[in-house]
Amino acid sequence: MSKQEQELIELSQLSSVVGCGAPLAREPIPAEQAIDLSRAFKALGDPVRLRLVSLIASHDGGEACVCDLTAGFDLSGPTISHHLKVLREAGLISGERRGTWVYYRVEPAALARLSDVLAIEQGVRA
Amino acid sequence: MSKQEQELIELSQLSSVVGCGAPLAREPIPAEQAIDLSRAFKALGDPVRLRLVSLIASHDGGEACVCDLTAGFDLSGPTISHHLKVLREAGLISGERRGTWVYYRVEPAALARLSDVLAIEQGVRA
């Protein structure tokens, strides 16, 4: 094995450890990675869930409880909770119970991974 | 109105003209923008469509016809065409007929917009 081949293998192992995705324009996404990524994109494929992620991420201290989130929507508490569960199962947010409330935070690494996959090099931006 | 306020208004108008989205962690996404963005994320929320975008984007010359795309899938031509239509309607790819085939390209500005919305500042990446 050449030194270059060895380096390529090490790089690909490193990449799978940190969970970053190569931009989709660099090479075809493998089927398994596509299943994983598409689950996260599907979770964002709903306007309420996208707004919830944005509300949590932009909230003071980077966290928000359901009590902070319901005001912005004409939806019931259980409906908001359902959407939060979908986001949680997709790995985009995490929740921690403290007293009466569960406090939600976004998972920066998960959002960054999706952002990186869609990143198009500046030169080819329309 | 102060010069600073005037500049802020001009910046926000410019931003809406070029269609770029502020990162979702900066401020809550407005409802209308969430509808628009979530439509694009929903289109990517399917493993076949995500792989199609990647195959097109990474194909020689940045374009591919259905004839280039069917080989990688255990799916019928009409099914592939349906997925391409969904991606086209979401503004993520465009197609141009030349002779027998329609040639597809990704829309770099649309992908870059989604990438930018999800971009988390390096400092807060987990």
Side-chain angles (χ1 to χ4, degrees):
Chain A
M1 190 185 301
S2 75
K3 199 185 161 203
Q4 202 177 12
E5 282 170 330
Q6 181 62 37
E7 280 176 357
L8 274 175
I9 288 168
E10 281 170 12
L11 261 178
S12 76
Q13 284 167 343
L14 179 69
S15 152
S16 72
V17 169
V18 298
C20 64
L24 48 71
R26 196 185 301 157
E27 57 185 350
I29 292 179
E32 258 186 59
Q33 199 187 334
I35 290 169
D36 188 35
L37 287 166
S38 65
R39 200 173 290 141
F41 284 127
K42 194 174 179 181
L44 295 175
D46 177 281
V48 172
R49 290 200 290 272
L50 197 55
R51 285 175 64 204
L52 283 171
V53 171
S54 182
L55 278 167
I56 294 166
S58 63
H59 202 262
D60 283 348
E63 65 174 19
C65 66
V66 179
C67 56
D68 296 317
L69 299 170
T70 44
F73 299 91
D74 194 17
L75 295 169
S76 70
T79 301
I80 299 280
S81 292
H82 162 74
H83 285 302
L84 290 169
K85 191 180 165 211
V86 173
L87 290 168
R88 215 168 154 165
E89 285 173 354
L92 296 171
I93 63 170
S94 57
E96 189 198 350
R97 179 170 290 279
R98 291 206 299 275
T100 315
W101 298 103
V102 178
Y103 288 82
Y104 295 95
R105 294 188 156 270
V106 295
E107 289 288 340
L111 293 179
R113 181 188 181 210
L114 300 181
S115 176
D116 290 349
V117 163
L118 298 177
I120 293 282
E121 281 160 48
Q122 293 290 343
V124 297
R125 287 194 180 198
Chain B
M1 191 186 300
S2 75
K3 199 184 161 201
Q4 203 176 11
E5 284 171 329
Q6 180 63 37
E7 279 174 0
L8 274 175
I9 289 167
E10 282 170 11
L11 262 178
S12 76
Q13 285 168 343
L14 179 68
S15 153
S16 71
V17 168
V18 298
C20 64
L24 47 72
R26 195 184 302 157
E27 57 185 351
I29 292 179
E32 258 186 57
Q33 201 188 332
I35 291 170
D36 188 35
L37 287 166
S38 66
R39 200 173 291 143
F41 285 126
K42 193 173 179 183
L44 294 175
D46 176 282
V48 171
R49 289 199 291 269
L50 198 55
R51 285 175 65 205
L52 282 171
V53 171
S54 182
L55 278 167
I56 295 167
S58 63
H59 202 263
D60 284 349
E63 65 173 18
C65 65
V66 179
C67 55
D68 297 317
L69 299 169
T70 45
F73 299 92
D74 194 17
L75 295 169
S76 69
T79 301
I80 299 281
S81 292
H82 162 74
H83 285 303
L84 290 169
K85 191 181 164 209
V86 173
L87 290 168
R88 215 168 153 164
E89 285 174 354
L92 297 170
I93 63 170
S94 57
E96 188 198 349
R97 179 168 290 279
R98 291 206 300 275
T100 314
W101 298 102
V102 178
Y103 288 82
Y104 294 95
R105 296 188 155 271
V106 295
E107 289 287 340
L111 294 179
R113 181 188 180 208
L114 300 181
S115 176
D116 290 348
V117 163
L118 298 176
I120 294 282
E121 280 159 50
Q122 294 288 341
V124 297
R125 288 193 179 199

